């Protein structure tokens, strides 16, 4: 992609972040590969940039998360994952076996879509819901393994 005309450059500028090749590469790659862990992002952008440390990718992800350009999700028992879909109220489906993660739109309207019975004085601005189960590939593999052992 031509970085000179990339919409990512404007998003970085609008967020008050310096425009750097690692930031552009991370945001562009992550837009095409959502829900990836930092080490996966690093492996994905190395062919684009050459050598880049995983720590540099963590730094980019941290700055972009703080600026609201990236959303960090932390499914229990899974590494933190990152996506560029921000600013809306959506949740996630996570496979218990392989960790595949998919977006699912909130079916109850604008944030917060869930209201706690008590807030303990908190001002609630978001509800995070994770639906756990098995993805189609893991279901098919499980079914195949059951047929082989039967």
């Amino acid at each position: 992609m031509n970085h000179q005309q990339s919409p990512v450059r404007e998003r970085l500028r609008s967020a008050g972040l310096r425009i750097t090749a690692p930031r552009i590469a991370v945001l562009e790659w992550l837009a095409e590969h959502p829900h990836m862990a930092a080490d996966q992002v690093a492996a994905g952008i190395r062919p684009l940039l050459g050598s880049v440390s995983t720590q540099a990718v963590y730094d980019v992800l941290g700055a972009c998360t703080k600026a609201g350009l990236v959303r960090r999700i932390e499914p229990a028992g899974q590494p933190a994952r990152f996506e560029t879909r921000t600013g809306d109220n959506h949740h996630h489906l996570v496979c218990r076996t392989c960790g595949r993660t998919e977006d699912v739109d909130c079916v109850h309207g604008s944030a917060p879509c869930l209201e706690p019975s008590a807030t303990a004085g908190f001002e609630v601005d978001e509800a995070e819901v994770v639906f756990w189960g098995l993805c189609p590939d893991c279901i098919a593999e499980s079914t195949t393994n059951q047929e082989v052992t039967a």
Side-chain angles (χ1 to χ4, degrees), residues 60-145:
V60 168
L61 290 168
C64 289
T65 299
K66 187 175 179 181
L69 299 176
V70 169
R71 180 177 177 191
R72 176 186 174 117
I73 60 170
E74 299 182 58
Q78 302 280 329
R81 296 167 188 269
F82 299 88
E83 64 183 342
T84 57
R85 183 177 171 186
T86 62
D88 70 348
N89 191 33
H90 74 277
H91 306 300
H92 296 93
L93 297 160
V94 179
C95 180
R96 290 185 186 280
T97 302
C98 71
R100 174 178 161 187
T101 305
E102 297 290 339
D103 289 334
V104 60
D105 291 329
C106 181
V107 295
H108 298 289
S110 61
C113 67
L114 301 176
E115 295 195 22
S117 58
T119 64
F122 281 66
E123 184 177 305
V124 177
D125 61 12
E126 180 181 12
E128 184 173 315
V129 176
V130 176
F131 298 95
W132 293 91
L134 295 177
C135 71
D137 293 340
C138 290
I139 291 170
E141 185 175 320
S142 174
T143 302
T144 300
N145 288 342

Side-chain angles (χ1 to χ4, degrees), residues 6-43:
S6 168
V8 169
R9 294 174 68 85
E10 184 53 39
R11 291 179 58 218
L12 286 164
R13 187 178 290 107
S14 295
L17 295 177
R18 284 188 318 115
I19 298 168
T20 65
R23 287 178 177 167
I24 292 169
V26 165
L27 290 173
E28 288 179 350
W29 192 85
L30 201 53
E32 297 294 321
H33 306 88
H35 312 121
M36 294 294 160
D39 59 342
Q40 293 170 308
V41 175

